[in-house]
Amino acid sequence: MIVRDEVEDLRDTALDEVQLDRRLSETWSTPTGLWGALSTVDHKIIGRRYIYTAFIFLALGGILALAMRLQLSEPEARFIGPDRYNQIFTMHGTNMMFLFAVPVMEAMAVYLVPLMVGTRNIAFPRLNAFSYWMYLAGGLLLWIAFAVDTGPDVGWFAYVPLSGPQYAAGKRADIWAQMITFTEVSALAVAVEIVVTVLKQRAPGMSLDRIPLFVWSMLVTSFLIILAMPAIMIASTALILDRLVGTHFFNPAEGGDVLLWQHLFWFFGHPEVYIIFLPAVGMVSTIVATFTRRPVFGYLAMVMALVTTGVLAFGLWVHHMFVAGLPRLGESFFTASSMAIAIPAGLQIFCWLATMWAGRPVFKTPFLFVIGFMVIFVIGGMTGVMVASVPFDTQVHDTYFVVAHFHYVLVGGAVFPLLGAIYYWFPKITGRMMSETLGRWTFGLIFTGFNLTFFPMHILGLQGMPRRIYTYQPEMPWSGLNMFISLSAVILAAGFLLFFIDAIRSAASGPAAPDNPWGASTLEWATSSPPLPYNFARLPVVGSLEPLSNNSETLSVAGGLSVDRRELIVTSVVEALPEARESSPGNSIWPLWSALATTVLLIWSIFTPWAVVWGSIPVSIALIGWFWPKGTPEDDT
Amino acid sequence: MNRSVVLDLSKLPPHGLGTASLTWWGTLAFMLIEGTGFALSIVVYLYLMSLAPHWPLDAPPPDLLPGSGLTALLIVSLLPNMLIARWARQQNLAKVRIGLVIMSLLGVAPLFLRVLEFPAMHISWDQNAYGSIVWVMLGLHTTHILTDLVETLVLTCLMFSKHGDNPRRYGDVSDNAMYWNFVVATWLPMYVCLYWIPRL
């Protein structure tokens, strides 16, 4: 055994604050320059990258939405042809779900969870770097394919037989299926990191009942990802195999089944909605607590509601298939479970209302977005209960009513809280404040624009307008509302444009933010804005649910950690009792090489199955390079 | 903000073992992901079977010998696998080295039987949906044997190198042993599904 010389092992207790900061900076900093940027494993840098990238995809997806609104603004418009329109609505949905909504929620967690649980880096930081590169590669694959007229055109859920070998010649459907592989690998990697960070790296004393609600929501979300995403990976792999090597999973002529695709897709696809929604719930709880100046009413009930939503999420998928002709008993079961999920959702709404009722609300921009969320999400929830009923769903299936419903749920339920969360955490992430004036304008434009755009779609749907049509005839009674919707979409787009302008301008020249500008009580506000590379000079010790509110002048911390290597604390799952000092891996370029090798394998395998054989050689080499010890203090013990 | 040191952690071990190790939990999480994948492949098999007028589709039930031989071999491999986990906990370098060599061989041996399993199915992946799912199930499990084999080979090299004698490496060895248990455990329901359900 190697016996390390204790004298060389310098601990933080031997250093004053200035020396400590200097030593920790040497150990934890990311070197400047390109190589440093490519090899960094700092969760804050990677989290920021994830957030920026996801918002770029949001903007691109928004431009596609505007293009569709332009085409639909009048009957028999000729701005976009049917083939390009098919690509555009497929790209819009695919991009928003797989490249924006899920990644941006995980991105917020990558940045915030380690800070909120009081540790120095996310668990498996190199996997985190790998996951970002995979995400970026998947996004580039999709968008470059679209740019060269090979964008998928089979809808964001790519139903067979339309996406199968018979009806989707060319590589468009393969691009979709392989983009799934990229984004799911990335999402699963982050989910594992979050689970282990939350279970094992919480600050000493942060027992399960002291975990911030946002962290709880990300823990439940991560388990949903772990249990739901294998279904879509199996489905998309089976689709690629059907298309590439002639398997018959979805071919009824040879014993396959097209509904198998729908089952597998929605077994993932429904939990996906909660994968997007639950982090937003955590953001809402955080913002509500801060801006009402009191803890959220019913902490235990909120946690139980998160877990219950997570469990029920797996019992709803068939409600996407009500018109597929399934047995009636099955449909009744899924109607009941679809309505049942309104219970935990409603419970949370009432807990937030009670918190606001009992607190002293401060109506800053983040809180405005939370109020907007509550209004819009409740409307989306009510139309959700409506479409949970089979007879009603049969009428409005594949109409604009459903388009209105899921935009109310997803934009109301996730994007509003997310924008609130950006205004809320922007000072921590950038060290600068966003503009309160522009924030109010942004909220006003987005809230108004959103409702004017999407509410009339309910009516269009009831009037029978199907979704996914590239145009309609002048005889149909839809043209007036469509023009109204398209004009309203401009207001909505103006709101987002203002948001981007405010964010970019504030990041460059906004007023400097103090450590804790909102007077919040969770641990990310106990460090500087933006945080130093090591997050906390001394790791916090937690004695309550609100570590910064009981004694706001002094932070209880732990001592005795090494400063010669990247070191953090591993604690027990339930009580967060310290178990070990543990090293955290340093910067490495190998995650990038691994992601590049995996990218080559995955894209190559769209064209030949042999890519899996030959492509796995560079992947293996890169992974061995990644894991082989380099003799650094972090690799040693 | 002022900081007051209320907890001294200097006496904590510099590396967590077992449930105090992050990689142990990470391995568990990946096992949950892959286990879900295995379970879903069985669900797809049963789903396709429920639709078929007869099962297997246009093929006799698979020959029992290669698959049963592989199952027996995997079960036997659990014994040295458990021993190596124990030796890793004891941080016994010599025994761990021997154990890793044995486990490498026991990772290669099933591949020879697996090669015989594909023809024993009497169906090709592109003949019908039955052929597709059995090939994918076998392929999915083979990928796991291969992955663990590569990991075991790398660890074997590592333990014979200067980096070997280190608590962190022993933790890697025991996590790898845990993962092999998983590879064996997931095979058992797949074996029943592939070989015995067609005989019902």
Side-chain angles (χ1 to χ4, degrees):
Chain A
M1 276 196 54
I2 297 169
V3 179
R4 279 178 59 79
D5 187 354
E6 286 299 319
V7 181
E8 279 184 7
D9 184 14
L10 187 62
R11 302 299 178 88
D12 56 10
T13 35
L15 299 169
D16 66 26
E17 301 295 310
V18 177
Q19 290 172 316
L20 179 61
D21 284 335
R22 189 175 58 77
R23 292 300 295 251
L24 285 172
S25 289
E26 285 169 12
T27 307
W28 284 87
S29 287
T30 292
T32 51
L34 182 65
W35 195 257
L38 295 178
S39 55
T40 184
V41 296
D42 185 332
H43 76 99
K44 298 178 292 299
I45 296 176
I46 293 168
R48 276 205 311 263
R49 267 179 206 168
Y50 251 117
I51 296 170
Y52 298 154
T53 313
F55 271 94
I56 289 170
F57 286 130
L58 171 72
L60 290 171
I63 291 168
L64 293 182
L66 288 175
M68 285 189 282
R69 284 321 315 169
L70 179 66
Q71 168 65 14
L72 293 177
S73 59
E74 56 181 39
E76 296 196 337
R78 290 286 176 271
F79 300 109
I80 301 168
D83 179 70
R84 187 54 102 167
Y85 191 87
N86 285 349
Q87 288 186 62
I88 288 179
F89 75 68
T90 303
M91 285 291 294
H92 173 76
T94 305
N95 172 78
M96 289 306 201
M97 294 300 278
F98 295 104
L99 298 180
F100 168 66
V102 175
V104 81
M105 294 302 176
E106 292 200 304
M108 295 296 280
V110 162
Y111 192 97
L112 291 168
V113 164
L115 288 163
M116 292 179 94
V117 301
T119 187
R120 282 177 172 158
N121 204 349
I122 199 162
F124 315 121
R126 290 179 181 175
L127 185 66
N128 195 31
F130 173 78
S131 83
Y132 173 75
W133 300 123
M134 288 299 289
Y135 161 58
L136 183 64
L140 289 175
L141 169 70
L142 186 71
W143 277 93
I144 290 171
F146 177 65
V148 299
D149 202 28
T150 313
D153 55 356
V154 288
W156 84 274
F157 38 69
Y159 274 5
V160 290
L162 181 64
S163 62
Q166 198 177 354
Y167 295 99
K171 292 295 171 195
R172 288 177 172 183
D174 301 287
I175 298 284
W176 181 90
Q178 207 60 298
M179 181 281 312
I180 294 286
T181 314
F182 279 93
T183 51
E184 308 310 86
V185 163
S186 146
L188 283 164
V190 175
V192 170
E193 296 153 25
I194 301 284
V195 165
V196 177
T197 306
V198 175
L199 293 183
K200 294 305 291 178
Q201 285 185 210
R202 301 197 308 274
M206 188 183 278
S207 48
L208 290 181
D209 56 348
R210 291 174 186 160
I211 297 180
L213 282 170
F214 175 71
V215 176
W216 262 117
S217 75
M218 283 314 307
L219 180 66
V220 176
T221 302
S222 299
F223 274 110
L224 286 187
I225 290 173
I226 286 174
L227 294 171
M229 294 218 173
I232 186 71
M233 291 193 73
I234 287 203
S236 65
T237 305
L239 179 62
I240 291 177
L241 291 173
D242 267 18
R243 294 174 55 84
L244 188 68
V245 297
T247 55
H248 296 287
F249 287 102
F250 307 118
N251 177 12
E254 293 294 349
D257 184 44
V258 289
L259 283 187
L260 173 62
W261 171 265
Q262 297 192 23
H263 280 297
L264 285 172
F265 185 88
W266 290 115
F267 185 76
F268 143 81
H270 199 80
E272 170 98 334
V273 174
Y274 296 94
I275 287 167
I276 295 165
F277 172 61
L278 289 182
V281 165
M283 293 167 179
V284 169
S285 292
T286 312
I287 293 170
V288 165
T290 298
F291 291 95
T292 58
R293 309 270 168 240
R294 56 153 293 150
V296 170
F297 176 84
Y299 174 87
L300 183 62
M302 293 296 282
V303 174
M304 293 314 291
L306 287 171
V307 176
T308 308
T309 311
V311 173
L312 283 175
F314 286 97
L316 306 181
W317 82 93
V318 171
H319 75 207
H320 296 272
M321 304 164 60
F322 276 160
V323 297
L326 295 167
R328 186 169 294 174
L329 182 66
E331 292 190 341
S332 304
F333 171 83
F334 284 96
T335 292
S337 59
S338 304
M339 291 185 174
I341 205 156
I343 296 170
L347 190 143
Q348 293 177 86
I349 298 267
F350 284 116
C351 284
W352 292 319
L353 288 175
T355 313
M356 293 180 195
W357 188 268
R360 289 172 283 117
V362 181
F363 292 90
K364 297 274 190 186
T365 305
F367 196 60
L368 294 181
F369 275 103
V370 163
I371 293 169
F373 148 79
M374 290 176 93
V375 172
I376 294 172
F377 180 70
V378 166
I379 296 174
M382 287 196 292
T383 54
V385 175
M386 288 161 78
V387 292
S389 148
V390 177
F392 187 89
D393 185 71
T394 310
Q395 288 298 313
V396 298
H397 185 84
D398 262 347
T399 71
Y400 263 83
F401 189 91
V402 175
V403 177
H405 160 70
F406 68 68
H407 281 90
Y408 263 79
V409 178
L410 289 169
V411 179
V415 178
F416 271 73
L418 174 72
L419 294 178
I422 295 290
Y423 273 91
Y424 179 68
W425 277 299
F426 193 89
K428 181 53 61 185
I429 295 173
T430 64
R432 293 180 187 277
M433 304 296 289
M434 286 177 84
S435 160
E436 190 59 29
T437 314
L438 289 183
R440 285 164 188 271
W441 273 100
T442 300
F443 169 73
L445 284 169
I446 291 181
F447 184 80
T448 312
F450 175 83
N451 282 294
L452 293 180
T453 303
F454 289 99
F455 194 85
M457 290 187 189
H458 292 108
I459 303 165
L460 270 183
L462 292 174
Q463 288 177 346
M465 180 168 165
R467 62 194 284 207
R468 297 179 165 172
I469 49 168
Y470 86 104
T471 193
Y472 50 93
Q473 288 67 45
E475 303 84 66
M476 295 297 183
W478 305 329
S479 47
L481 272 179
N482 268 305
M483 176 58 84
F484 180 81
I485 289 171
S486 294
L487 291 174
S488 304
V490 177
I491 303 177
L492 181 57
F496 275 101
L497 185 64
L498 193 61
F499 167 77
F500 281 112
I501 291 171
D502 188 16
I504 293 167
R505 203 188 58 107
S506 302
S509 59
D515 290 357
N516 188 0
W518 312 113
S521 61
T522 37
L523 282 177
E524 75 275 27
W525 305 104
T527 184
S528 57
S529 302
L532 296 161
Y534 42 88
N535 289 356
F536 302 94
R538 298 179 198 275
L539 291 179
V541 175
V542 172
S544 77
L545 180 59
E546 299 197 295
L548 301 194
S549 69
N550 291 345
N551 186 358
S552 55
E553 291 305 307
T554 308
L555 182 71
S556 300
V557 294
L561 269 68
S562 171
V563 295
D564 294 329
R565 62 169 193 169
R566 297 186 173 204
E567 190 163 280
L568 40 79
I569 310 171
V570 172
T571 53
S572 62
V573 172
V574 177
E575 292 181 282
L577 301 172
E579 291 180 326
R581 297 180 289 120
E582 184 59 271
S583 67
S584 177
N587 298 328
S588 166
I589 194 69
W590 287 101
L592 175 60
W593 299 147
S594 303
L596 281 174
T598 313
T599 300
V600 169
L601 184 158
L602 289 177
I603 295 180
W604 191 6
S605 72
I606 294 177
F607 299 94
T608 164
W610 290 104
V612 179
V613 177
W614 302 117
S616 65
I617 295 169
V619 172
S620 306
I621 292 170
L623 288 175
I624 292 167
W626 176 342
F627 289 106
W628 194 266
K630 313 291 187 298
T632 61
E634 285 81 13
D635 287 337
D636 264 330
T637 292
Chain B
M1 185 175 284
N2 299 320
R3 292 179 281 223
S4 109
V5 178
V6 296
L7 189 63
D8 177 24
L9 302 174
S10 56
K11 296 286 181 281
L12 281 182
H15 173 54
L17 293 167
T19 60
S21 144
L22 299 179
T23 42
W24 189 88
W25 287 89
T27 310
L28 213 58
F30 276 104
M31 279 162 36
L32 188 56
I33 293 172
E34 290 152 29
T36 310
F38 281 121
L40 283 168
S41 73
I42 293 175
V43 168
V44 171
Y45 180 98
L46 296 176
Y47 179 89
L48 292 170
M49 187 176 88
S50 75
L51 297 178
H54 52 90
W55 195 260
L57 279 175
D58 304 329
D63 296 341
L64 281 173
L65 192 59
S68 305
L70 179 126
T71 309
L73 184 63
L74 288 182
I75 291 172
V76 168
S77 74
L78 289 178
L79 180 69
N81 195 46
M82 283 171 184
L83 284 176
I84 199 173
R86 182 187 297 172
W87 296 332
R89 272 196 299 279
Q90 296 164 351
Q91 307 198 356
N92 186 327
L93 183 63
K95 284 183 175 172
V96 163
R97 282 176 171 171
I98 294 167
L100 279 171
V101 172
I102 293 170
M103 285 314 295
S104 299
L105 295 173
L106 282 171
V108 174
L111 294 176
F112 288 101
L113 287 167
R114 180 52 55 79
V115 168
L116 301 176
E117 268 189 275
F118 286 95
M121 292 288 155
H122 300 302
I123 186 105
S124 157
W125 70 86
D126 55 0
Q127 272 174 275
N128 59 35
Y130 168 70
S132 305
I133 185 63
V134 297
W135 275 72
V136 162
M137 287 171 77
L138 285 176
L140 188 64
H141 192 259
T142 309
T143 315
H144 281 74
I145 295 183
L146 280 171
T147 315
D148 195 280
L149 173 62
V150 172
E151 196 182 325
T152 308
L153 290 172
V154 173
L155 268 177
T156 310
C157 297
L158 200 49
M159 293 312 278
F160 280 94
S161 78
K162 66 180 166 115
H163 300 290
D165 196 11
N166 179 314
R168 198 169 293 277
R169 303 291 101 71
Y170 291 113
D172 292 341
V173 172
S174 74
D175 289 345
N176 186 49
M178 177 165 82
Y179 192 78
W180 183 254
N181 288 337
F182 168 75
V183 172
V184 176
T186 48
W187 171 248
L188 300 179
M190 293 184 107
Y191 167 70
V192 171
C193 183
L194 288 171
Y195 288 90
W196 293 97
I197 285 183
R199 290 185 154 74
L200 285 179

